Amino acid sequence: METPKEYSKNLKNNILTTEMLIDCLFSVNKRAKNCRDKEREYRDKFRGCRYGDKYGTEEKYREKKEEYYSQKEKILTLFTPDCIHSEVQQRRTRIYDYEEEYGTTYLENEVIHSGHYFDPITDEPVFFDDIMLPYTQFYLFYDFGKCSFHTPIDEYLIKNYPNLEIINIGSLTTYGKDIDVLLSTQFVKKVLALIENNNYVYVDNKAQLAC
């Protein structure tokens, strides 16, 4: 999208408004989702391929995704989360035959892959099962009215937010966005430079934004 004239004027005067920051967050967040989807696309495309992803396309999208998420985190440090959201996800977990859980854990979980390898020291076979186990993912939730954002947080860090309510949201589904409707990466980087150098005046105009 074309950078609003007001944003360009503010930037020249080292002014950051809530609206500017929200649009920057929206841009990097959606770009990250676009890269996530491309990463998955190339991972699926080259899975089982004899020559693999020789150009490292999947890895390039993964690195770009993490860069956008890092930019998102830096901008969010200027705000206070409204609450904590939790959702139950599934994680692929490998259980080995020498573990106590082997043979019992997967009784209630579908085995998606079984196999074995030979221990390089004992030369004895080691059997394993890959299963999907549930776990709870937590997110700091920031609500700006016209849009909102989640950022993952480890469970052990929740104690740092004793006043925030934890709300179970069931599941979280996110999508990317056409980059034509997003603020440019060049503009976002200029905003980040002001934040990193602590060289800005913040104007909170959240109350003026439409919900």
Side-chain angles (χ1 to χ4, degrees):
M1 66 178 283
E2 183 177 354
T3 303
K5 292 182 180 179
E6 181 185 358
Y7 287 11
S8 298
K9 180 181 178 180
N10 285 340
L11 195 63
K12 288 180 181 179
N13 293 298
N14 292 6
I15 294 174
L16 298 180
T17 68
T18 307
E19 185 176 18
M20 288 171 62
L21 294 170
I22 290 174
D23 283 343
C24 286
L25 281 167
F26 188 77
S27 177
V28 295
N29 192 46
K30 291 303 181 181
R31 290 177 190 275
K33 300 298 187 294
N34 288 342
C35 290
R36 174 204 63 189
D37 294 343
K38 280 294 185 181
E39 177 191 353
R40 291 174 178 172
E41 176 185 329
Y42 279 96
R43 181 167 60 247
D44 293 340
K45 179 179 180 180
F46 290 107
R47 182 179 286 121
C49 179
R50 179 179 179 184
Y51 298 103
D53 184 4
K54 62 180 180 180
Y55 297 110
T57 312
E58 178 192 345
E59 180 61 25
K60 290 177 182 177
Y61 277 113
R62 181 183 301 112
E63 292 175 353
K64 203 65 181 176
K65 175 191 69 177
E66 294 304 326
E67 178 184 347
Y68 287 132
Y69 278 139
S70 176
Q71 293 174 349
K72 173 185 173 183
E73 295 290 335
K74 289 179 182 178
I75 299 173
L76 283 175
T77 60
L78 302 182
F79 300 100
T80 301
D82 293 277
C83 65
I84 296 174
H85 282 173
S86 67
E87 68 162 343
V88 176
Q89 296 185 357
Q90 296 285 323
R91 175 186 288 132
R92 183 167 178 157
T93 304
R94 178 161 292 184
I95 309 295
Y96 297 92
D97 62 4
Y98 54 77
E99 296 180 292
E100 183 178 349
E101 297 88 349
Y102 187 78
T104 58
T105 302
Y106 64 82
L107 291 178
E108 299 179 356
N109 299 276
E110 179 183 0
V111 176
I112 58 177
H113 176 69
S114 294
H116 72 278
Y117 64 91
F118 287 90
D119 187 295
I121 298 178
T122 65
D123 200 32
E124 294 292 327
V126 177
F127 294 89
F128 61 83
D129 289 325
D130 286 348
I131 61 178
M132 299 300 291
L133 291 179
Y135 74 100
T136 302
Q137 176 64 61
F138 296 91
Y139 304 90
L140 295 176
F141 178 65
Y142 300 78
D143 187 4
F144 294 101
K146 73 173 190 176
C147 55
S148 58
F149 302 95
H150 289 88
T151 183
I153 179 175
D154 291 329
E155 185 173 4
Y156 75 91
L157 292 175
I158 292 178
K159 64 178 182 295
N160 295 333
Y161 303 90
N163 298 322
L164 292 186
E165 180 183 6
I166 300 177
I167 302 173
N168 188 313
I169 59 173
S171 63
L172 177 65
T173 303
T174 57
Y175 303 93
K177 198 79 173 179
D178 189 328
I179 63 172
D180 290 338
V181 300
L182 305 175
L183 275 178
S184 70
T185 56
Q186 292 83 358
F187 181 83
V188 174
K189 287 180 179 179
K190 291 178 181 178
V191 168
L192 284 166
L194 291 183
I195 295 174
E196 291 168 355
N197 294 323
N198 198 28
N199 183 30
Y200 64 90
V201 175
Y202 174 57
V203 177
D204 183 2
N205 64 342
K206 181 181 179 182
Q208 303 173 21
L209 305 181
C211 294

